CSV table of all heavy atoms in Angstrom, one decimal:
chain,number,residue,atom,x,y,z
A,1179,GLY,N,8.8,-2.0,4.1
A,1179,GLY,CA,8.5,-1.6,2.8
A,1179,GLY,C,9.6,-1.9,1.8
A,1179,GLY,O,10.6,-2.6,2.2
A,1180,GLY,N,9.5,-1.3,0.6
A,1180,GLY,CA,10.5,-1.5,-0.4
A,1180,GLY,C,11.9,-0.9,-0.1
A,1180,GLY,O,12.9,-1.4,-0.4
A,1181,SER,N,11.8,0.3,0.5
A,1181,SER,CA,13.1,1.0,0.8
A,1181,SER,C,14.0,0.2,1.7
A,1181,SER,O,15.2,0.0,1.5
A,1181,SER,CB,12.8,2.4,1.3
A,1181,SER,OG,12.0,3.2,0.5
A,1184,ASP,N,15.4,-2.9,0.0
A,1184,ASP,CA,16.5,-2.6,-0.9
A,1184,ASP,C,17.8,-2.3,-0.1
A,1184,ASP,O,18.8,-2.8,-0.4
A,1184,ASP,CB,16.1,-1.3,-1.7
A,1184,ASP,CG,15.2,-1.5,-2.9
A,1184,ASP,OD1,15.0,-2.7,-3.3
A,1184,ASP,OD2,14.6,-0.6,-3.4
A,1210,HIS,N,15.5,3.2,-8.4
A,1210,HIS,CA,14.8,4.0,-7.4
A,1210,HIS,C,15.9,4.5,-6.5
A,1210,HIS,O,17.0,3.9,-6.3
A,1210,HIS,CB,13.9,3.1,-6.6
A,1210,HIS,CG,13.0,3.9,-5.7
A,1210,HIS,ND1,13.3,4.1,-4.4
A,1210,HIS,CD2,11.7,4.4,-5.9
A,1210,HIS,CE1,12.3,4.8,-3.8
A,1210,HIS,NE2,11.4,5.0,-4.7
A,1257,MET,N,16.5,-3.2,-11.2
A,1257,MET,CA,15.1,-3.3,-10.9
A,1257,MET,C,14.3,-4.1,-12.0
A,1257,MET,O,14.7,-4.1,-13.2
A,1257,MET,CB,14.5,-1.9,-10.8
A,1257,MET,CG,14.4,-1.1,-12.1
A,1257,MET,SD,14.3,0.7,-11.8
A,1257,MET,CE,13.2,0.9,-10.5
A,1261,ASN,N,9.7,2.5,-11.9
A,1261,ASN,CA,8.6,3.1,-11.3
A,1261,ASN,C,8.0,4.3,-12.1
A,1261,ASN,O,6.9,4.6,-11.9
A,1261,ASN,CB,8.9,3.5,-9.8
A,1261,ASN,CG,10.2,4.2,-9.7
A,1261,ASN,OD1,11.3,3.7,-10.1
A,1261,ASN,ND2,10.2,5.4,-9.2
A,1286,ASP,N,15.0,-5.0,-7.4
A,1286,ASP,CA,13.9,-4.2,-6.8
A,1286,ASP,C,12.7,-4.5,-7.6
A,1286,ASP,O,12.5,-4.0,-8.7
A,1286,ASP,CB,14.4,-2.7,-6.8
A,1286,ASP,CG,13.2,-1.8,-6.3
A,1286,ASP,OD1,12.1,-2.2,-6.3
A,1286,ASP,OD2,13.5,-0.7,-6.0
A,1288,VAL,N,9.6,-3.9,-6.6
A,1288,VAL,CA,8.5,-3.2,-6.0
A,1288,VAL,C,7.3,-2.9,-7.0
A,1288,VAL,O,6.2,-3.0,-6.6
A,1288,VAL,CB,9.0,-1.9,-5.3
A,1288,VAL,CG1,7.9,-1.0,-4.9
A,1288,VAL,CG2,9.9,-2.2,-4.1
A,1289,GLN,N,7.7,-2.5,-8.2
A,1289,GLN,CA,6.6,-2.1,-9.2
A,1289,GLN,C,6.1,-3.4,-9.9
A,1289,GLN,O,5.1,-3.3,-10.6
A,1289,GLN,CB,7.1,-1.1,-10.2
A,1289,GLN,CG,7.4,0.2,-9.6
A,1289,GLN,CD,6.2,1.0,-9.2
A,1289,GLN,OE1,5.1,0.8,-9.7
A,1289,GLN,NE2,6.3,2.0,-8.3
A,1309,SER,N,6.9,-4.3,-2.0
A,1309,SER,CA,6.2,-3.4,-1.1
A,1309,SER,C,4.7,-3.6,-1.3
A,1309,SER,O,4.2,-3.5,-2.4
A,1309,SER,CB,6.6,-2.0,-1.4
A,1309,SER,OG,6.0,-1.1,-0.5
A,1311,HIS,N,2.0,-1.8,-0.6
A,1311,HIS,CA,1.1,-0.8,-1.1
A,1311,HIS,C,1.1,-0.6,-2.6
A,1311,HIS,O,0.3,0.2,-3.1
A,1311,HIS,CB,1.4,0.5,-0.3
A,1311,HIS,CG,2.6,1.3,-0.7
A,1311,HIS,ND1,2.5,2.5,-1.4
A,1311,HIS,CD2,3.9,1.1,-0.5
A,1311,HIS,CE1,3.7,3.0,-1.6
A,1311,HIS,NE2,4.6,2.2,-1.0
A,1312,LYS,N,1.9,-1.3,-3.3
A,1312,LYS,CA,1.9,-1.3,-4.8
A,1312,LYS,C,1.0,-2.4,-5.3
A,1312,LYS,O,0.8,-2.4,-6.5
A,1312,LYS,CB,3.3,-1.4,-5.3
A,1312,LYS,CG,4.4,-0.4,-4.7
A,1312,LYS,CD,4.1,1.0,-5.1
A,1312,LYS,CE,5.3,1.8,-4.5
A,1312,LYS,NZ,5.2,3.3,-4.8
B,2766,PLP,C1,10.8,0.8,-7.6
B,2766,PLP,C2,10.6,1.2,-6.2
B,2766,PLP,N1,11.5,0.8,-5.3
B,2766,PLP,C3,11.3,1.1,-4.0
B,2766,PLP,C4,10.3,1.9,-3.6
B,2766,PLP,C5,10.1,2.2,-2.1
B,2766,PLP,O1,9.1,1.5,-1.6
B,2766,PLP,P1,8.5,1.9,-0.2
B,2766,PLP,O2,7.7,3.1,-0.4
B,2766,PLP,O3,7.6,0.7,0.2
B,2766,PLP,O4,9.6,2.1,0.8
B,2766,PLP,C6,9.3,2.3,-4.5
B,2766,PLP,C7,8.2,3.2,-4.1
B,2766,PLP,O5,7.7,4.0,-4.9
B,2766,PLP,C8,9.5,2.0,-5.9
B,2766,PLP,O6,8.7,2.4,-6.8
Side-chain angles (χ1 to χ4, degrees):
S1181 302
D1184 282 341
H1210 191 270
M1257 68 202 317
N1261 44 306
D1286 173 340
V1288 168
Q1289 293 288 338
S1309 182
H1311 74 107
K1312 308 292 186 178

